Amino acid sequence: MAAPFSAPPSPSDVSPAAVDAVRRSLDGRWSWLRDEIRAREDFAELHVEPGIDAETHRARVWEMLGQLAADGHAVHGFPTAVGGRGDIGGSVVSFEMLAFADLSLQVKSGVQWGLFGGAIQALGNPEQQARYLPAVMDLSLPGCFGMTETGHGSDVQSVHTTATYDPATQEFVVDTPTESARKDYIGNAARDGRMAAVFVQLWSAREGEVPTRHGVHAVLVPLRDEQGNVLPGVEITDDGHKEGLNGVDNGRLAFHGVRVPRENLLDRYGTVAPDGTYSSSIESENRRFFTMLGALVRGRISVSGSAVGAAQLALTIALRYAEARRQFAAPGGDGEIVILDYLAHQRKLLPLLARTYALRLAQNELVEMLHDIQTEREAGGSVDEKRQRELESRAAGIKALSTWNATEVIQVCREACGGQGYLSENRLGTLRADTDVFTTFEGDNTVLLQLVAKGLISGYADDFGHLDTLGTIRFVADQVLDTVAERTSLHQLAERLRGAATGGDDEEVLDASWQIKLLDDREEHILDGLVRRLRPARGKGVTPDRAFAIFNRAQDHLLHAARSHLDGLVLDAFNRACEAQADPTARQLMRSVCDLYALSVVEQDKGWFLEHGRISAARSKAVTAEINKLCHTLRPHARTLIDAFGIPESWIDAPIATGAETRRQDEAIAHTATLRG
């Protein structure tokens, strides 16, 4: 039986060493780098005052980007051969830390070094890397990442921009055939970018032959000269004022017969010889496409980390305010009640704090996985395809959860701070506007969850690159009932923690093995049901429209399967972090936060658990009661838990979180005492 629950120690017993131990757990493998960045005295200056016009905002962000480049902020993830540090995980962590500064600066840095530079690093050959990456790192070559089109966002494989090889001149001719083929919402395009990595349908043939299409590839296309003048054949328009991130110069790109040298094709996965002959080490067009996208997964993981950082900052502001703000007279006393002492307020913020803790720990594991796989690949090693697919699936899922979480957290924090939260100086409104787009860029979250769910079917990852939509539907439907994806890590953890729990409802809901087993059973049941719903689509006699109709009607089930799988992965990461924590005080505190996260997941979906007989009505009530108890127990430790985020005081930059509200309340209390005296 799991150890019985004991309340975390009182705040006076939580030593600085224990708080530091929690912080190190949240910081993960790159704790040293986070500390290095925290120690930068100039970091607090990397922000823009609210209310300025877009052009001034853009100019200030460009200035700050130059400051980051001069300080070597960009070098972490690039190869040592071109002057980088070769630390891929470090590049993601350094990007995450910018979430505490200015989000426009963070996104613009991500475009320059993560997307533009990342495309050259992941898709280019060594000569291209040596030629371009030093200039990318020091910002002498500002660039863009031209993937999204007006007519194709999620469906990248169907982009319409073309690059057709001309063997007579050994050049590619880049064209935008229709208005919907414009590259849209491209960061750095409207103002600063001088080159773009443009994703195109590649056509080539030897002279005199009919060109053949080879699928999506990336070509480097110059946009402006060194004086900033737009080059002939390139059309650039400004996307205009946005709901947020107005320090980023998003624009639209169109190309009209733009010629670029053959050497501008990023050709790690497919090349065109001088005579127009195409060759690739990956024969299947589908597999080649997904291999290329898989190499660019770092951007998606970086967005996920940014969302977690934004949620941490919002919770820090709101919980600090909640510990200072008082409202309504305390019974039997002269003062007023601190609003965080109200259960309703605890219920607003503390479960979200627990979820953000859980996502921070899951994000850390994701960054480690990315670092290990891509470092191995950069060193010339062979990366197991199943492991790569697992990385891509997990990156898609954690990105969806983290960005949705940020949207919810920031809105709830704004409401929890009342009118003060609506003031620009307190940052929550800016955070809300700037992070809103995170749910749809680097992959629309609903589409990403569908990718996660498809990958759960056993064997799907191995055949992913060979199947079209109909083939996918039939393959999924043809699986036998018990061939769903293995959930080995979660299942093994449950077995390791499981004991013969015989206590009552209140005790057992705090048993980690019970929590894990409950989520594991839900995932297995939902996946089994999904296979049954899709099974009628199998067979040669099923027409494509009929197969699609069956698949389409099961999309709600598909999304629920993905969400249940991800909930288990996140809980798994939290439990591993608790087990790895050596400090007993820190471990108990983290264990209570983990319990709050797990039970909140159960409470959110308790309708399903009740409908399917996984919990009784009494157990459901026990879950809710225990959440209330955990909120009460953790309330004295709220400041400790947000201090463990390790956000330096000067970075918070919100008056309601830095003592102003406490001073106001002290003055009010003194004034009340004077009136009564």
Side-chain angles (χ1 to χ4, degrees), residues 33-34 36-38 40 42-43 46 64-78 83-85 87-88 90-99 101-102 105-110 112-114 136-139 298 651:
L33 179 57
R34 295 184 191 275
E36 184 180 289
I37 296 172
R38 288 177 180 122
R40 287 183 50 173
D42 62 337
F43 202 89
L46 297 176
M64 293 189 295
L65 192 68
Q67 183 180 336
L68 289 178
D71 292 342
H73 186 85
V75 303
H76 296 287
F78 290 109
R85 292 184 181 177
D87 185 355
I88 293 168
S91 71
V92 177
V93 168
S94 63
F95 176 83
E96 288 178 1
M97 295 296 284
L98 287 173
D102 182 87
L105 173 63
Q106 183 190 48
V107 170
K108 195 169 176 74
S109 74
Q112 174 68 18
W113 296 312
V136 172
M137 286 188 286
D138 68 18
L139 204 57
R298 191 192 314 183
W651 295 10

Side-chain angles (χ1 to χ4, degrees), residues 138-153:
D138 68 18
L139 204 57
S140 58
L141 178 61
C144 310
F145 185 77
M147 179 180 281
T148 298
E149 295 183 353
T150 303
H152 290 93

Side-chain angles (χ1 to χ4, degrees), residues 145-307:
F145 185 77
M147 179 180 281
T148 298
E149 295 183 353
T150 303
H152 290 93
S154 298
D155 186 8
V156 177
Q157 200 167 9
S158 297
V159 296
H160 286 175
T161 303
T162 61
T164 305
Y165 185 66
D166 180 358
T169 61
Q170 296 190 21
E171 294 173 318
F172 288 102
V173 182
V174 182
D175 277 300
T176 302
T178 64
E179 186 174 323
S180 67
R182 296 174 307 180
K183 296 299 180 181
D184 207 349
Y185 227 83
I186 307 303
N188 275 358
R191 182 181 186 271
D192 299 318
R194 288 201 289 110
M195 179 176 279
V198 180
F199 286 77
V200 299
Q201 297 289 348
L202 186 70
W203 294 78
S204 77
R206 289 181 294 187
E207 194 162 4
E209 296 181 354
V210 177
T212 301
R213 190 181 65 83
H214 307 293
V216 176
H217 290 66
V219 179
L220 295 177
V221 181
L223 304 177
R224 295 178 173 90
D225 61 23
E226 292 188 2
Q227 288 71 45
N229 301 307
V230 177
L231 294 172
V234 177
E235 179 185 346
I236 302 177
T237 54
D238 197 319
D239 273 314
H241 195 274
K242 307 181 295 291
E243 293 300 316
L245 298 176
N246 282 297
V248 183
D249 51 323
N250 294 99
R252 299 184 182 93
L253 300 175
F255 308 99
H256 308 291
V258 176
R259 288 180 170 266
V260 300
R262 182 181 67 89
E263 292 77 16
N264 281 28
L265 174 67
L266 296 176
D267 63 356
R268 176 177 288 194
Y269 298 106
T271 188
V272 175
D275 69 353
T277 302
Y278 177 83
S279 62
S280 173
S281 59
I282 305 173
E283 185 175 348
S284 164
E285 179 184 324
N286 278 355
R287 186 175 292 277
R288 185 166 60 244
F289 171 74
F290 287 109
T291 300
M292 290 172 61
L293 286 194
L296 299 172
V297 72
R298 191 192 314 183
R300 187 166 287 166
I301 293 172
S302 296
V303 170
S304 175
S306 174

